[in-house]
Every structure is written in C-alpha cells, then in structure tokens.
Amino acid sequence: MYKKNFDFVVDKARQVKKPIRVAIAGADSENILLGAFRAEAAGFAELILVGDTDKITEMLKNLGLISRKYTIVDEKDYLKVVQTSIDLIKAGKADVLMRGNTQTRDFLLPILDKENNLLRKDRLLTQITMLKMPDYERVLAISDVTIIPEPDINQRKQIIRNMVGTFKALGYEHPNIALLSLVEKPTFHMVDTVEAQTIVHDHHEKPIADCELVGPIAYDLIISKEAARLKGYDCPLCGEFDGIVTSSLLAGNMLVKVLQMHGHASSCGVIVGANIPIAITSRSDSEEQAYLSLAVCAALPEQEIE
C-alpha cells in the first residue's frame, strides 16, 4: 500500500522500543537543532550534540532549548566533528549519525573511510530523499542525490535495491520504481536510456528487488496519468510511482531542490547501505526536514534492509 504523507514514518518512529541516540556532527545549526529537539520531544530520539560547546550553548539559549535534555561533546575543530561523532558510535554511545553544520564532503569522507567500519561489504552507500508534494498523491523517493556522481548499471541496480529495501522496512509491500530519463525510447545518443532499458530487461529476467520497475521514462510521465494519455504512452503505473532512480547526481540533486524550493515539497533525507542509519539534511533545510529525517532513521533499525 502506498503512503499519502509522512504520518506513517512518524508513527513507526514512535513505536520503537527505545529512543535512538543521535550524534549530531556540528550541532551549531539552527534548524537541525529545532528538528532534533522536536524528535526528542516526540520520544524517539536522545541527542548528543557534537561541536564547539560555546557556539552550541549560545544557540540553545537563543532558541529557548537550553533547559532541555541533551549531552554536549566538545569538539572545537570543525574538521573533526564528524570523526568524533563516529567515534561515539564505534564506542557504543550513539546509534545514529546526523549531519549538522558541516560541508557535504567533510561529512561523507569519514563515513567512507574503511577504518571506521561503517560500510557494509554487500551494500553500496546511497542517499535517498523522500518528498511529499502538494499535487502528487504519494510520498515520492528520489535517489541518489548526494553520493554517486555517475552511477553505472550495477550501481543503479544497487540503488534500486537500497530504495526498495528502505521502502520495505518502512512498511511498503511492492513499490513502483521509475528510471528517470529525458525520453522514453532508448537511443544510443543518450547512454542512460540504453542502460535503463538494460536494467529493466535484467529485472524481468531475474528481479533486482521486490518492485515494479519501468524505464527509461520522462518525469512528466512518472507523475501524471494525463501526460501519459496525451503522449499516448501506455503504462498503467504513470502517476502511481513511489520512487525515482536518477541517472546522475546532478539530475537528482536539481530535481529535489526544485521540488523543495518551487514545488513546496516537504522532505527528508537518509543514507542507507551503512551499518547504521545516517540522517543527512542540507544546512538550509527546514526544522521539519530534520525532524522527519530522524523519524526515518528511528524506524529503520527495527528491520534489516534487504
């Protein structure tokens, strides 16, 4: 069954047996703090604020959060806040890593460092953004928009597995996944269309994951049954897709930001494929996005992502 809004994520997060302990790397970020404390108030998160104690304390005072429940781990070196947060996880003192006031590159590099042992040998690390748009009935997931610049065929297959595994862990049964391209007909001038056709063919021969898979397919056909009718595109899943796998990081990132900024989509971001859930939001994201990202992370540990 598809989901109409993010209530299902929050409800699942509130059902966890114990709150997740969240290490926020670079906690001096206003909306990240507001969203994290909202998760704490909802009962599914305990907060460990990693960063410059003076900056964090000042921000907590300004936000009226100073008397709330939290732990501060002082790390004044901006370049070490992520590693310090990971060290807390390795020591068994935290369960979830969350990006705060750090650059994307500085956040990802320690995660990818094999010495930190956060990566699963059988998984590709991928980022998934989940969005709810006012004019689309379903929650829509888009991947990968942060980590893999130009995924090859095998990486795109793994992105599909990670996306479907995340859906399944969140209660979906058989999601509909689209392989985004500029056009629907494969052409050798556009390599991604040929690759999408190959991936779908391979899926029909041996399922990549428990899902319906369509591609190559343009965005308007993914979103709209009316667009499919007008174009004469015969696919009953048009307007009913749950997830979009993009052909490049650029395409995915631009699509997400346009939908957020101009389509007024609410959203949340999570990195899957590691040994732990990782909440990743932009420093310009809203309190709501930070809150929902932690809700997803709280819901995921209850089930193994296949």
Side-chain angles (χ1 to χ4, degrees):
M1 180 63 181
Y2 70 90
K3 311 300 181 183
K4 293 185 177 182
N5 53 50
F6 285 121
D7 289 349
F8 80 101
V9 173
V10 175
D11 289 343
K12 192 170 181 62
R14 286 175 168 164
Q15 293 170 14
V16 297
K17 296 176 183 178
K18 60 180 181 179
I20 54 173
R21 297 168 299 170
V22 184
I24 304 177
D28 55 317
S29 178
E30 181 175 318
N31 283 341
I32 297 296
L33 282 175
L34 289 170
F37 274 98
R38 184 173 166 188
E40 185 270 335
F44 58 80
E46 295 178 357
L47 307 183
I48 305 170
L49 312 181
V50 182
D52 187 314
T53 299
D54 294 336
K55 292 181 179 180
I56 294 172
T57 301
E58 181 180 1
M59 187 166 286
L60 290 173
K61 289 178 180 178
N62 292 337
L63 296 174
L65 300 170
I66 193 66
S67 62
R68 297 283 289 275
K69 185 179 179 181
Y70 55 86
T71 300
I72 294 181
V73 175
D74 187 42
E75 178 55 76
K76 290 183 168 51
D77 188 337
Y78 168 85
L79 295 177
K80 293 182 179 179
V81 291
V82 180
Q83 185 59 55
T84 299
S85 301
I86 291 174
D87 289 342
L88 291 170
I89 291 168
K90 292 165 65 177
K93 297 179 180 179
D95 309 304
V96 171
L97 178 64
M98 184 178 195
R99 179 190 174 190
N101 185 18
T102 65
Q103 297 283 350
T104 302
R105 179 180 181 276
D106 296 330
F107 183 72
L108 292 177
L109 284 179
I111 295 171
L112 297 170
D113 187 340
K114 293 181 180 180
E115 292 187 3
N116 282 321
N117 197 32
L118 291 185
L119 304 179
R120 291 173 55 180
K121 293 180 180 179
D122 61 336
R123 286 295 179 202
L124 180 72
L125 199 70
T126 55
Q127 190 268 0
I128 299 172
T129 294
M130 303 183 75
L131 306 103
K132 182 61 185 77
M133 298 173 287
D135 56 355
Y136 190 65
E137 187 176 21
R138 299 172 179 238
V139 170
L140 185 67
I142 300 177
S143 187
D144 180 297
V145 306
T146 301
I147 299 174
I148 307 170
E150 300 284 346
D152 59 27
I153 286 181
N154 289 330
Q155 288 174 322
R156 289 172 78 184
K157 288 180 179 180
Q158 186 60 70
I159 291 170
I160 293 167
R161 291 190 189 101
N162 281 348
M163 179 179 283
V164 173
T166 301
F167 274 130
K168 301 280 279 187
L170 292 175
Y172 283 69
E173 293 182 0
H174 191 73
N176 302 326
I177 308 298
L179 301 180
L180 177 66
S181 293
L182 183 64
V183 295
E184 302 78 59
K185 294 182 178 180
T187 170
F188 71 91
H189 293 297
M190 301 177 184
V191 176
D192 69 285
T193 63
V194 178
E195 291 180 344
Q197 182 186 49
T198 300
I199 292 169
V200 171
H201 175 270
D202 291 350
H203 177 71
H204 289 158
E205 292 291 316
K206 182 180 179 180
I208 296 169
D210 183 14
C211 66
E212 294 296 325
L213 188 63
V214 176
I217 182 171
Y219 181 76
D220 56 341
L221 299 177
I222 293 172
I223 297 299
S224 171
K225 286 187 178 296
E226 178 64 6
R229 184 187 72 81
L230 292 172
K231 283 187 171 183
Y233 184 74
D234 184 17
C235 176
L237 297 182
C238 290
E240 298 180 9
F241 284 100
D242 303 295
I244 297 175
V245 173
T246 66
S247 59
S248 72
L249 186 152
L250 176 62
N253 198 283
M254 289 183 65
L255 177 58
V256 166
K257 288 184 177 178
V258 167
L259 292 175
Q260 289 172 335
M261 301 297 291
H262 301 289
H264 307 293
S266 56
S267 66
C268 56
V270 63
I271 292 177
V272 296
N275 292 324
I276 56 165
I278 301 172
I280 183 166
T281 54
S282 170
R283 287 167 295 170
S284 63
D285 283 349
S286 68
E287 169 190 339
E288 178 82 358
Q289 288 165 301
Y291 169 66
L292 291 173
S293 294
L294 284 182
V296 174
C297 287
L300 289 181
E302 293 296 298
Q303 298 187 45
E304 182 73 11
I305 296 179
E306 298 293 341

